[in-house]
Every structure is written in structure tokens, then in C-alpha cells.
Amino acid sequence: WGVGNRLSHSVIHDLPHTAAFFWGNDHTLEYNEIYDVCQETGDAGAFYQGRDWSQRGNVIRYNYFHDVRGVQGQEGFIDVMSVYMDDFASGTTVSGNIFVRGGRAVMIGGGRDVLVENNLFIDCNPAVHVDARGLRDWAAAAFDGPNSVLMKRLRAVRFEEPPYSARYPRLPNILKENYVMPERNTIRRNISFGGVWRDLQDGITDSLVIFQDNFVDRDPGF
């Protein structure tokens, strides 16, 4: 929790649930090996953040995620993510990581301003997921009313004033934009081999999410 914390050079494995839940801003999670976590949970992430537009500047880089499979043999939403940006988490950079059998490796759950670059995905299903869950009926409660979760957390940090407005210049205008849509997400210079490259839901197309210079559906020649 807080600002500017660092999780590095750790090996985290054999857990029933999440390896790292992080909340706040400008955290760095780097050079970790993560495997066999979320063994007894679904709809979970090895690294997890969510439901707060003001949490920005977090960096997930140079980690090795492998064998993130979740609970087996049950019905319902049992998917497990390596990097789970849940419910409109925004402004995170995911760079230089290796994902091997990483489940739904990187999930952008309706958020904005996320950068996914220079990662290696092997046998992930999919490597990258992006949805526009803000269009779904259940999501309306997160936006509407003075006590809605997203609005309450956004206004709690005085997002239109320094230091937030200075540190995150895109944040002050968020309510003037089409905030229900996952805009300005960029996925570039990644390699994906085996498994599924991408999963775009809720009618999202390449005109909304930026895909650039990714090497997919071909043997990279390892």
C-alpha cells in the first residue's frame, strides 16, 4: 500500500491465492519468479490491482511467471491471471516479463493508459485480454452516484489538483472523457508463441486498442 514500494528478486510459489496484491502508486515489481499460485481460487491474479482510476505509475517488469493455472476441476469463473488489472485499473506498465503457461497472462479489465511491451508469452491462453466491461450492466454501479466505488476513490485523492494532476496529467480530465471505454491501451513489441495471442471482448477492435509490431502466430526460432 502507499507510494513507491518495491518488490524485487523474490521467489513466490505454492500459494492458495494471490502472490502480490498492490494498492497505490508508483510501485515497482521486478525480477521476481512467480509460479504455482492461486491454487485454490478463480478470478484471481498472481499480481493483482483493481477498481481505482487514481492508482497509476505502477511498473511490472523483468518478472518470470510460469505455471499459473488456478483451481482445477470446478465450474464457473475459474480463470487465473498472471497480471490482473481488474475493474478499470489504469496507468500500469507491463514490460520485459516472461510468461510461460501463465493462464490469462495479462488482463486489462476495462482500464485505460496501460502499456504492455517487450514481453515474451509462451503457451498462454490468452497472452493479452482487453475488455470494455464499463459497457456491461453490472458495471454501472461502479460509476453512478456519489458513493460509487470508482468515483469515491477518485475524488478522495483530489485528482484535479497537485500532486495527482501534475504526476498523472491524463487523470484530471478522466470524467470529461468516455471513461467507460478502455482507451489509450498500447500492446507493442511482444512475442507470443503457442496458446492464444489475444482476446478482445465487448466489441473492442484494433481501432480502440493499439497493437504495434507484435510477433505472433509464427515460430520465433528459439
Side-chain angles (χ1 to χ4, degrees), residues 49 53 55-59 85 88-93 111-115 168 185:
Q49 65 175 134
W53 277 320
Q55 294 184 51
R56 293 183 173 235
N58 297 300
V59 177
M85 290 169 278
F88 316 103
S90 301
T92 294
T93 295
R112 309 160 66 80
D113 303 314
V114 173
L115 175 61
Y168 314 112
N185 293 310

Side-chain angles (χ1 to χ4, degrees), residues 60-180:
I60 299 170
R61 64 187 181 189
Y62 314 140
N63 301 285
Y64 176 30
F65 299 90
H66 63 97
D67 300 298
V68 180
R69 292 180 290 256
V71 65
Q72 305 295 311
Q74 295 190 21
E75 297 179 356
F77 190 10
I78 61 172
D79 281 9
V80 170
M81 282 54 75
S82 290
V83 175
Y84 196 174
M85 290 169 278
D86 196 12
D87 289 350
F88 316 103
S90 301
T92 294
T93 295
V94 182
S95 178
N97 302 282
I98 298 174
F99 301 87
V100 180
R101 297 178 298 277
R104 194 174 289 269
V106 174
M107 173 180 270
I108 302 174
R112 309 160 66 80
D113 303 314
V114 173
L115 175 61
V116 181
E117 68 174 358
N118 298 331
N119 300 284
L120 174 60
F121 300 95
I122 301 174
D123 294 331
C124 298
N125 290 288
V128 176
H129 165 113
V130 187
D131 64 57
R133 62 186 59 190
L135 299 175
R136 302 174 190 175
D137 291 341
W138 66 263
F143 299 113
D144 294 339
N147 294 321
S148 64
V149 174
L150 282 169
M151 298 301 179
K152 185 176 181 180
R153 290 174 175 170
L154 183 66
R155 294 188 171 110
V157 299
R158 300 181 181 180
F159 69 102
E160 295 176 303
E161 305 173 15
Y164 276 80
S165 61
R167 180 69 178 89
Y168 314 112
R170 288 178 173 170
L171 189 59
N173 293 321
I174 190 167
L175 298 184
K176 301 173 185 176
E177 301 173 337
N178 188 13
Y179 53 78
V180 302

Side-chain angles (χ1 to χ4, degrees), residues 9-64:
H9 296 89
S10 299
V11 180
I12 305 175
H13 62 94
D14 291 292
L15 295 177
H17 195 35
T18 295
F21 175 98
F22 60 99
W23 195 285
N25 301 72
D26 296 342
H27 300 314
T28 301
L29 296 83
E30 62 183 0
Y31 298 109
N32 302 289
E33 180 181 2
I34 311 294
Y35 65 94
D36 288 333
V37 297
C38 303
Q39 292 182 348
E40 299 177 15
T41 50
D43 188 14
F47 284 180
Y48 180 94
Q49 65 175 134
R51 202 164 288 191
D52 191 337
W53 277 320
S54 72
Q55 294 184 51
R56 293 183 173 235
N58 297 300
V59 177
I60 299 170
R61 64 187 181 189
Y62 314 140
N63 301 285
Y64 176 30

Side-chain angles (χ1 to χ4, degrees), residues 121 124 126-129 187 190-192 194-199 211 214 216-217:
F121 300 95
C124 298
V128 176
H129 165 113
I187 294 92
N190 301 283
I191 293 176
S192 178
V196 177
W197 160 230
R198 68 182 191 180
D199 175 28
F211 287 89
N214 297 289
V216 299
D217 300 325

